[in-house]
Amino acid sequence: MRDPQGRIRFEGERVLRTLVQPLPPGHFLRSQLASGWVADQRMVGFEWLDETTLQSPRFPFVTQPTEWCDAQLHAAARLTLDLQQEAVQAGFDLKDASAWNVLFDGCRPVFCDLLSFVPLAERKWWAMGQFARHFLFPLLASRRRGLRGHQVFAMGRDGMSASTARQLLGRSLYLSRYGSLLLGEGGRLGQAHSSVVSTADTGSPGAAVPFRTGLHAALDWMLNGVAPSASRRATAPGWSSYEQDRPHYEGDSLDTKRRVLAEWLARIAPAWVIDMGCNTGEYSRMAADTGAQVVSLDADHDSIERLYRSAPAGSRMHPLVAQLDDLAGGRGWAGTEHPGLASRLAAQFDVVMMLALIHHLSIGASIPLREVAGFARTCSRSWLIVEFIDVADAQLASLCKQRQRSPQEFTLGRQRAAFIEAGFSIEAEVELSPAPRTLALLRITTE
C-alpha cells in the first residue's frame, strides 16, 4: 500500500500487484537473481499477468512482528541482510529494510516486498536506519533489558528509535559495537562513523560496491552480537519447562491423553489446526505429524522460541507469541493495513485444540466460560478438542484460591454447558484418570 510504484490487492488465494507503469527491461524482478531467490524459497513467487500486473500466491496464514519470538525476528533480519548483500553485488539496492517485509511460511522466513529493490546508485544505504530500528535495537533491548522484540513492535510499528535505544540501553552502549548507530539525530543513524556509513550524500555506483561490502560486514558483526542465546532461554524461568514438570498428570493420565489425542487427530485428518496455549509444542507436533498445518500460539515468549528453534525450516508449524485474553487489533493505516490476530484466526481451523487451557482463561484471566467457548467457536470450522478440569484438580483449586473464586463456578457441568450453548455437541469424552481431567471431542452443530 505504501509503495508509490504500485498497489496491492487480494483476490481469493492470490495477491495481485498493479504497477503504476511497466518496469524497464533491466529491473530487478526480471533478473536471474530474483528468479534464484524464488527458487530457493527466500522470496515469494510471482508471475506476470501483463506488463503492469504481477500475481503471487497468498500465504494461508500470516504472522506479524508483534507475534514473533526473538529467534524469528533475528531470522528475518538475517534474511534481509543476506538478500541486501547479494543484491548489491548484482547492482541492486534494497530501499526498505522493514520487518514487515518478511513473512513466515511455517518456520521459514520469506521476503515479500517485490518492489523494494532498485538500481544501486550511491554508497550510502538509506535503509540502514530502518534496519537498526526494526532489527538491531529491538534484539539488543531484548538481550540487555529483557524487552522482547514483539513487545517493541506492539508499542510502535516502526520498531525502536535511536533516541529510545539511548535512553533504554544507557551510555555504555556508545562503547560497544553499536555505538555508531546511536550518533546523530532525526534518523540519520551513524553518519558520523565512516566505518559504517559514508558522510557523503552521493557517490558513484562503481564506488558503492566495495564500500557496501564493508558496511555489510559491520552490520553482520552487529547482527551476530544480538543473536538470541538458546542456552540462556533454556534456563529461563517460566512455562518453557512445563513439558518436563507436570505433577498434576498422575499415573497413566498423560499417556492416555497423548494416545486419545493422536487417535482423534488421525481420524479427523484436519488440514488446519490451532493449538491454543501450545507451550513448547508437544501436541502441535502431533497434529503436524498427521499432515496438518498447525498454528502454535502461546503467551510465553520462551516457550514459543523453544518450539521455533526445534522445528525445521520446512515445518508445518506456524509459531506465534500472543496473549489470548488481550489479542492485538489491526495495525498501520486505518487499522486495516495489518489485520488483527482475531480476524486472522476466524473460521481458519478444522480443529481447535484447547488443552489444559480453559481454567487459565476462565479463572486466571476472569474470562467468562461462555466467552471462552464462543471464541473457540469463531475459530473452528468443524471440531474442537478441549480438556475439561474437575473441581478436584489441584491446579483449578489453586487458581480459584488466588482469584477468590468458588470452584463450584467451574464444575464439569458448567464447562460442558458453555460449549454446548456456543454451538458444539460432545462427540466423545475420555477420562484422564487418575488425574481429575477429561479430554473431550466436540463438533459444531449450529451455524
Side-chain angles (χ1 to χ4, degrees), residues 187-247:
R188 296 171 64 83
L189 299 177
Q191 291 184 20
H193 198 292
S194 61
S195 67
V196 181
V197 178
S198 171
T199 56
D201 285 343
T202 60
S204 67
V209 174
F211 175 78
R212 292 295 188 86
T213 300
L215 170 62
H216 297 154
L219 292 173
D220 187 75
W221 178 53
M222 294 180 187
L223 186 57
N224 288 338
V226 293
S229 171
S231 59
R232 182 168 65 89
R233 294 286 185 258
T235 58
W239 287 94
S240 59
S241 60
Y242 175 75
E243 287 184 16
Q244 290 76 42
D245 183 22
R246 289 180 281 194

Side-chain angles (χ1 to χ4, degrees), residues 56-309:
S56 297
R58 185 174 184 176
F59 281 31
F61 188 81
V62 171
T63 58
Q64 300 174 1
T66 52
E67 300 152 1
W68 296 345
C69 66
D70 288 346
Q72 287 171 291
L73 184 61
H74 189 268
R78 170 55 59 198
L79 174 68
T80 301
L81 186 56
D82 286 350
L83 296 186
Q84 166 66 355
Q85 290 173 318
E86 294 174 31
V88 166
Q89 295 299 318
F92 300 104
D93 201 12
L94 182 58
K95 66 179 181 179
D96 300 302
S98 169
W100 299 90
N101 285 347
V102 178
L103 304 177
F104 275 85
D105 183 8
C107 292
R108 178 188 291 110
V110 182
F111 195 84
C112 68
D113 193 354
L114 299 178
L115 299 178
S116 273
F117 290 91
V118 296
L120 180 64
E122 55 185 307
R123 300 206 317 166
K124 182 183 298 178
W125 185 30
W126 285 102
M128 197 194 82
Q130 191 176 51
F131 186 81
R133 294 192 303 275
H134 284 223
F135 298 115
L136 296 177
F137 290 152
L139 288 167
L140 191 59
S142 179
R143 192 173 183 87
R144 297 198 176 188
R145 293 291 184 267
L147 180 66
R148 303 296 186 216
H150 73 93
Q151 294 171 322
V152 170
F153 280 98
M155 291 185 286
R157 181 185 179 277
D158 198 34
M160 179 177 290
S161 67
S163 60
T164 300
R166 283 195 295 269
Q167 295 175 42
L168 180 65
L169 299 169
R171 293 184 178 182
S172 63
L173 197 62
Y174 283 96
L175 303 178
S176 73
R177 70 182 78 181
Y178 308 98
S180 58
L181 295 175
L182 298 174
L183 301 175
E185 298 293 338
R188 296 171 64 83
L189 299 177
Q191 291 184 20
H193 198 292
S194 61
S195 67
V196 181
V197 178
S198 171
T199 56
D201 285 343
T202 60
S204 67
V209 174
F211 175 78
R212 292 295 188 86
T213 300
L215 170 62
H216 297 154
L219 292 173
D220 187 75
W221 178 53
M222 294 180 187
L223 186 57
N224 288 338
V226 293
S229 171
S231 59
R232 182 168 65 89
R233 294 286 185 258
T235 58
W239 287 94
S240 59
S241 60
Y242 175 75
E243 287 184 16
Q244 290 76 42
D245 183 22
R246 289 180 281 194
H248 42 284
Y249 289 101
E250 306 171 40
D252 296 331
S253 299
L254 201 53
D255 289 338
T256 301
K257 179 178 177 178
R258 290 170 177 149
R259 175 182 56 79
V260 172
L261 182 62
E263 290 174 357
W264 287 349
L265 288 171
R267 172 154 57 95
I268 297 170
W272 279 89
V273 174
I274 184 169
D275 186 3
M276 295 183 179
C278 67
N279 200 258
T280 54
E282 176 183 6
Y283 303 115
S284 292
R285 286 186 285 271
M286 289 178 60
D289 287 344
T290 68
Q293 298 278 351
V294 184
V295 172
S296 304
L297 181 155
D298 202 280
D300 186 71
H301 170 276
D302 292 355
S303 293
I304 291 297
E305 184 147 286
R306 284 189 61 185
L307 187 160
Y308 174 75
R309 288 183 179 279

Side-chain angles (χ1 to χ4, degrees), residues 52 96 266 310:
T52 58
D96 300 302
S310 67

Side-chain angles (χ1 to χ4, degrees), residues 248-250 252-254 256-258 260-261 264 283 353-359 384-393 396 410-413 415-416 419 426-442:
H248 42 284
Y249 289 101
E250 306 171 40
D252 296 331
S253 299
L254 201 53
T256 301
K257 179 178 177 178
R258 290 170 177 149
V260 172
L261 182 62
W264 287 349
Y283 303 115
M353 297 198 302
M354 287 182 160
L355 306 176
L357 174 67
I358 61 174
H359 56 304
L384 168 69
I385 299 176
V386 63
E387 189 170 342
F388 294 137
I389 316 295
D390 191 85
V391 293
D393 186 88
L396 186 145
F410 308 100
T411 63
L412 289 177
Q415 292 175 51
R416 292 188 183 100
F419 285 92
I426 298 176
E427 300 288 305
E429 285 190 357
V430 175
E431 292 185 3
L432 303 180
S433 181
R437 301 187 172 203
T438 300
L439 199 63
L441 177 65
L442 287 73

Side-chain angles (χ1 to χ4, degrees), residues 17-31:
R17 287 176 172 84
T18 303
L19 309 180
V20 174
Q21 57 187 12
L23 299 179
H27 191 273
F28 165 75
L29 290 182
R30 303 188 189 278
S31 69

Side-chain angles (χ1 to χ4, degrees), residues 362-444:
S362 60
I363 306 173
S366 298
I367 307 299
L369 274 169
R370 65 179 181 278
E371 294 290 337
V372 175
F375 179 67
R377 175 64 180 82
T378 66
C379 297
S380 177
R381 292 192 289 243
S382 299
W383 298 91
L384 168 69
I385 299 176
V386 63
E387 189 170 342
F388 294 137
I389 316 295
D390 191 85
V391 293
D393 186 88
Q395 288 276 311
L396 186 145
S398 176
L399 281 170
C400 284
K401 183 177 181 180
Q402 292 171 20
R403 299 296 189 272
Q404 297 183 332
R405 303 288 294 274
S406 168
Q408 295 308 308
E409 298 178 61
F410 308 100
T411 63
L412 289 177
R414 291 191 174 189
Q415 292 175 51
R416 292 188 183 100
F419 285 92
I420 292 171
E421 182 183 346
F424 291 99
S425 64
I426 298 176
E427 300 288 305
E429 285 190 357
V430 175
E431 292 185 3
L432 303 180
S433 181
R437 301 187 172 203
T438 300
L439 199 63
L441 177 65
L442 287 73
R443 190 171 191 172
I444 292 175

